[in-house]
Amino acid sequence: MGLLDNESIPRRQMTLFFMIDTSGSMDGSKIGSVNDALENVLPIIGEISDENPDAEIRVAALEFSTATRWLYDEPKEGKDFIWQKVMAGGLTSLGEACRELNKKLSRSNGFMSSPSGCYAPAIILLSDGGPTDDFESGLNTLRGNSWFKNAIKIAIAIGEDADMDVLQQFTGSLEAVIRVHNIDALKKMIRIIAVTSSQIGSKSSSANEESKQREVEKQITEATKDIDGAESAAAPMAASQDSYDEWD
């Protein structure tokens, strides 16, 4: 009998949030790579959840362009999350995306209402540009949310045009921002960040949430050293061929 065969032991829930920029500048290989990476990482997240005796990991995905849209109206287990390919077009309403995320980071009418309790979530933001709406107002609203304060927050800056200041404001740390310069690096870092955040975020331990954030940052920063075209924003690589954007 496995650890999870005893249904009388309820597991707490940990939600992994993806916030995906689907504005027009993401069209082509960028959005194609995001779709491919997320479709392939979901079964892995499902396996991590199945093998975790303490936490059930669920996934929620929010796309934002001129408007925002949740791919499902509730978080789903990785094995049940059938990826719906997203398309690129429109503006970059990141401020509205922050307000929409704030609504779901609640126990009442939100995604944090598991009867057995919840771990702080992990939030992964992917963007290749800068917001075109009132980002500051949306982020200020989100910063007042206790779940967001305690969440693991990582941002992937896709290409040279990504607004690093905005992504740093969102995560609260430059060490939590990873820049990618090509298709292969983007796919690999989405997988590494999703898996690492799921594993660490769902740990049952006495460690506080801040130490979980630092642990994720440390592991993904180390991972960038072995991936051409990926770098930590806090320690960018020297100018070289690897640092040039190649999206064709």
Side-chain angles (χ1 to χ4, degrees), residues 151-218:
I152 293 170
K153 297 176 283 286
I154 302 294
I156 299 178
I158 303 173
E160 289 291 340
D161 293 332
D163 191 322
M164 304 302 284
D165 181 62
V166 162
L167 298 182
Q168 181 180 359
Q169 288 183 59
F170 182 88
T171 62
S173 166
L174 193 58
E175 288 76 8
V177 181
I178 301 296
R179 192 195 291 276
V180 295
H181 299 279
N182 57 58
I183 294 171
D184 188 56
L186 175 57
K187 289 181 179 180
K188 287 179 178 178
M189 289 313 304
I190 288 175
R191 174 171 174 159
I192 289 169
I193 292 170
V195 169
T196 304
S197 298
S198 298
Q199 290 172 332
I200 295 174
S202 61
K203 279 184 178 179
S204 177
S205 69
S206 59
N208 60 36
E209 301 304 334
E210 182 178 359
S211 68
K212 289 184 177 182
Q213 174 76 29
R214 300 286 87 80
E215 188 175 349
V216 172
E217 290 175 6
K218 179 180 178 181

Side-chain angles (χ1 to χ4, degrees), residues 18 29-45 83 85 126 156 183-192 194-195:
F18 291 100
S29 59
K30 292 179 180 177
I31 201 65
S33 299
V34 170
N35 279 317
D36 183 62
L38 290 178
E39 184 174 15
N40 283 286
V41 82
L42 287 170
I44 300 172
I45 295 170
W83 184 250
K85 290 188 183 297
L126 301 94
I156 299 178
I183 294 171
D184 188 56
L186 175 57
K187 289 181 179 180
K188 287 179 178 178
M189 289 313 304
I190 288 175
R191 174 171 174 159
I192 289 169
V195 169

Side-chain angles (χ1 to χ4, degrees), residues 4-48:
L4 304 186
D5 292 335
N6 188 344
E7 296 182 359
S8 66
I9 303 175
R11 295 189 294 162
R12 294 169 71 183
Q13 181 173 305
M14 199 283 289
T15 303
L16 175 64
F17 286 88
F18 291 100
M19 297 178 67
I20 306 162
D21 180 351
T22 55
S23 61
S25 58
M26 286 285 291
D27 194 27
S29 59
K30 292 179 180 177
I31 201 65
S33 299
V34 170
N35 279 317
D36 183 62
L38 290 178
E39 184 174 15
N40 283 286
V41 82
L42 287 170
I44 300 172
I45 295 170
E47 291 174 5
I48 295 170

Side-chain angles (χ1 to χ4, degrees), residues 112-180:
M112 314 303 291
S113 57
S114 171
S116 57
C118 296
Y119 288 104
I123 303 167
I124 301 172
L125 169 63
L126 301 94
S127 181
D128 75 331
T132 55
D133 64 347
D134 187 356
F135 167 69
E136 297 287 348
S137 173
L139 181 61
N140 285 337
T141 297
L142 186 57
R143 281 175 169 167
N145 188 299
S146 295
W147 286 115
F148 182 76
K149 290 178 183 177
N150 292 295
I152 293 170
K153 297 176 283 286
I154 302 294
I156 299 178
I158 303 173
E160 289 291 340
D161 293 332
D163 191 322
M164 304 302 284
D165 181 62
V166 162
L167 298 182
Q168 181 180 359
Q169 288 183 59
F170 182 88
T171 62
S173 166
L174 193 58
E175 288 76 8
V177 181
I178 301 296
R179 192 195 291 276
V180 295

